[in-house]
């Protein structure tokens, strides 16, 4: 029972708390970066700008007409989303952290700070692409007639988006966005693949030897308590937000 002494428990708890702080930092930094970036990517995906579109003619072949109608911004954004959604996040973290140094492009800062920066960038890009599809679905889900009604009232495009489209989009995207946010809580554990000392990494370290303690398995399973409490709090807060937006129904 020496593994459950008071001093051992305090040592483990201190280490897990330290790791959980890193988990919280990664979670909030990802949301702060991915939410606005996702909206920008969604606008890019829906962009109708075709630089050669004015050259299209009714009697042109479908192939030539399609080439002239290519929308580069939309194409690039959709390609990015396809790549990010089609590959595992853990591989994206590894590639982003190791490949630049292998190719002599640049090196991340040394130590824990560099690992944290790299994993934050990977998470922000990954979740921004997922959020962009949710944003796009919410924007395109607003009935066209309501936008036309705004035009009849003399509203500008910016006013229509801010007062009509955006308000209704938020109500539509809260449930799917909530699922992604809850998934983010658990996905933060993937940061340990590049040895970022988040809560799972700290729990696992007592199996290998940390602070003079080795062979402990319960700290790793104890990390589930942190995730359950954190995801529970996030779920309650998102539920309250969804209820506040219920007046749009």
């Amino acid at each position: 029972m020496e593994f459950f002494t008071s001093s051992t428990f305090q040592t483990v708890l201190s280490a897990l708390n330290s790791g959980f702080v890193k988990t919280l930092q990664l979670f909030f930094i990802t949301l702060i970066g991915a939410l606005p970036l996702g909206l920008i990517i969604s606008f890019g995906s829906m962009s109708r700008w075709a630089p050669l579109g004015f050259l299209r003619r009714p009697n042109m072949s479908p192939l030539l007409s399609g080439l002239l109608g290519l929308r580069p911004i939309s194409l690039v954004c959709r390609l990015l989303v396809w790549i990010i959604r089609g590959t595992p996040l853990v591989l994206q973290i590894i590639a982003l952290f190791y490949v630049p140094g292998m190719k002599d492009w640049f090196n991340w800062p040394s130590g824990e700070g560099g690992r944290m920066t790299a994993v934050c960038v990977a998470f922000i890009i990954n979740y921004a692409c997922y959020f962009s599809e949710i944003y796009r679905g919410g924007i395109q889900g607003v009935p066209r007639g309501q936008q036309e009604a705004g035009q009849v009232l003399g509203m500008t495009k910016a006013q229509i988006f801010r007062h009509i489209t955006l308000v209704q989009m938020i109500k539509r995207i809260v449930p799917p966005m909530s699922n992604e946010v809850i998934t983010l809580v658990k996905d933060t554990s993937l940061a340990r693949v590049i040895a970022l000392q988040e809560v799972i990494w700290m729990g696992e370290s007592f199996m290998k030897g940390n602070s003079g303690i080795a062979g402990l398995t319960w700290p790793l399973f104890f990390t589930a308590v942190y995730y359950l409490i954190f995801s529970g709090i996030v779920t309650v807060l998102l539920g309250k937000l969804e209820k506040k937006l219920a007046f749009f129904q």
Side-chain angles (χ1 to χ4, degrees):
M1 299 298 293
E2 56 180 324
F3 288 164
F4 291 93
T5 62
S6 176
S7 60
T8 300
F9 183 79
Q10 290 179 2
T11 300
V12 171
L13 189 62
S14 176
L16 294 182
N17 287 339
S18 175
F20 190 60
V21 169
K22 291 287 179 61
T23 296
L24 289 176
Q25 290 175 344
L26 176 57
F27 175 82
F28 286 111
I29 291 174
T30 299
L31 284 185
I32 292 172
L35 287 172
L37 180 59
L39 188 60
I40 293 173
I41 295 175
S42 71
F43 287 150
S45 297
M46 294 183 292
S47 173
R48 296 185 175 278
W49 179 66
L52 300 179
F54 67 95
L55 297 176
R56 300 172 70 182
R57 297 292 183 270
N59 58 346
M60 278 185 174
S61 66
L63 177 60
L64 182 58
S65 179
L67 290 174
L68 293 176
L70 284 178
R71 297 173 292 175
I73 296 178
S74 176
L75 184 62
V76 170
C77 289
R78 288 178 180 270
L79 179 62
L80 173 65
V81 172
W82 175 69
I83 293 173
I84 294 299
R85 295 177 68 191
T87 55
L89 175 55
V90 64
L91 291 182
Q92 296 168 20
I93 296 172
I94 293 173
L96 190 64
F97 183 70
Y98 290 109
V99 171
M102 294 170 60
K103 299 296 184 180
D104 294 325
W105 295 334
F106 72 94
N107 292 313
W108 297 100
S110 60
E112 194 75 2
R115 298 178 188 278
M116 186 67 175
T117 302
V119 80
C120 283
V121 172
F123 268 76
I124 287 173
I125 294 174
N126 181 276
Y127 272 85
C129 289
Y130 279 93
F131 289 162
S132 71
E133 290 299 282
I134 297 175
Y135 284 133
R136 187 169 65 87
I139 293 173
Q140 294 179 340
V142 177
R144 180 71 178 175
Q146 298 195 23
Q147 299 177 22
E148 294 174 348
Q151 294 176 344
V152 171
L153 294 174
M155 300 173 68
T156 63
K157 289 185 177 181
Q159 290 174 330
I160 292 173
F161 179 78
R162 186 169 62 253
H163 297 295
I164 298 177
T165 306
L166 183 61
V167 173
Q168 296 188 57
M169 178 200 73
I170 292 175
K171 172 62 181 69
R172 293 171 182 269
I173 68 173
V174 167
M177 195 72 79
S178 299
N179 290 334
E180 291 297 328
V181 173
I182 296 299
T183 301
L184 173 59
V185 173
K186 296 173 289 185
D187 276 354
T188 54
S189 62
L190 297 177
R192 74 183 186 281
V193 73
I194 58 171
L196 182 71
Q197 297 181 14
E198 45 76 56
V199 66
I200 292 287
W201 192 96
M202 295 303 292
E204 191 177 21
S205 68
F206 289 100
M207 297 173 60
K208 305 173 182 178
N210 184 16
S211 302
I213 303 172
L216 288 186
T217 57
W218 66 264
L220 178 59
F221 294 101
F222 191 70
T223 59
V225 177
Y226 285 81
Y227 283 105
L228 286 171
I229 294 175
F230 186 30
S231 62
I233 294 173
V234 173
T235 300
V236 170
L237 292 177
L238 291 173
K240 290 182 178 295
L241 176 61
E242 191 170 349
K243 287 182 179 180
K244 285 187 177 181
L245 296 173
F247 62 85
F248 287 117
Q249 294 180 345

